Amino acid sequence: NYNDMWRYDAANDQWSAAPGSPLLGGAWSSTFVVGNNAYAGLGAKFQGTGLTGNLNFYKFVMDEVTTGIGESSEDAIDIYPNPASGFLTIHTASNEAVQVEVYSTLGQNVISKKVNDLEKISLEGLSSGMYYVKIISGNKTIAGRKVQIIR
């Protein structure tokens, strides 16, 4: 029975208290993430000396500041192949060198590397699963994409 909620900022590797939620004081809740949305619900809520069932799900929108990863609609960045197995290639419309950061679904930075346009990035040592690729030019995030790694 917890009465707090926390958010993880992968870009800064920090946790911060989140605003109140209707699930505070709840137990046995289920949670999952789809894209930049977190869903929590079900379970039970402690009220007085007993439990009351919760049949609702609540949606929490996680913006780029919260997750550190944004989805960009810019066509100026290509990240391929996707799904990938041995390597990734980053192509920018400006053909410039960029900082590439790859994060696991737990928010752990597993690759951080400055690459030139069309340079291949080795995925050696990464297991199968979904990863988030963040592309940085200067001090600005210019793209974020989900990439599936298969083995």
Side-chain angles (χ1 to χ4, degrees), residues 6-149:
W6 293 82
R7 291 184 182 192
Y8 180 67
D9 178 351
N12 296 309
D13 192 27
Q14 293 180 11
W15 287 92
S16 61
S21 116
L23 292 176
L24 293 182
W28 306 290
S29 296
S30 298
T31 58
F32 57 94
V33 174
V34 177
N36 273 358
N37 298 314
Y39 299 87
L42 303 178
K45 191 165 186 153
F46 290 97
Q47 292 185 329
T49 59
L51 293 173
T52 302
N54 178 18
L55 300 178
N56 296 312
F57 263 96
Y58 301 93
K59 176 180 174 182
F60 302 92
V61 177
M62 301 180 297
D63 58 11
E64 184 175 344
V65 173
T66 302
T67 62
I69 306 296
E71 285 296 321
S72 173
S73 61
E74 291 181 31
D75 293 327
I77 302 290
D78 287 323
I79 301 173
Y80 59 88
N82 190 9
S85 58
F87 65 89
L88 276 178
T89 301
I90 311 297
H91 173 60
T92 64
S94 63
N95 300 319
E96 66 185 26
V98 292
Q99 178 72 24
V100 176
E101 296 181 357
V102 179
Y103 293 89
S104 72
T105 55
L106 297 176
Q108 297 168 318
N109 185 319
V110 294
I111 295 175
S112 184
K113 181 177 183 180
K114 185 148 187 125
V115 298
N116 293 313
D117 189 48
L118 300 175
E119 183 178 339
K120 292 183 179 185
I121 300 165
S122 172
L123 301 174
E124 185 176 332
L126 298 183
S127 58
S128 294
M130 191 64 70
Y131 291 81
Y132 302 96
V133 179
K134 183 176 178 180
I135 309 298
I136 302 164
S137 178
N139 291 329
K140 180 181 175 192
T141 299
I142 58 173
R145 301 279 197 285
K146 295 176 187 132
V147 173
Q148 182 180 7
I149 296 178

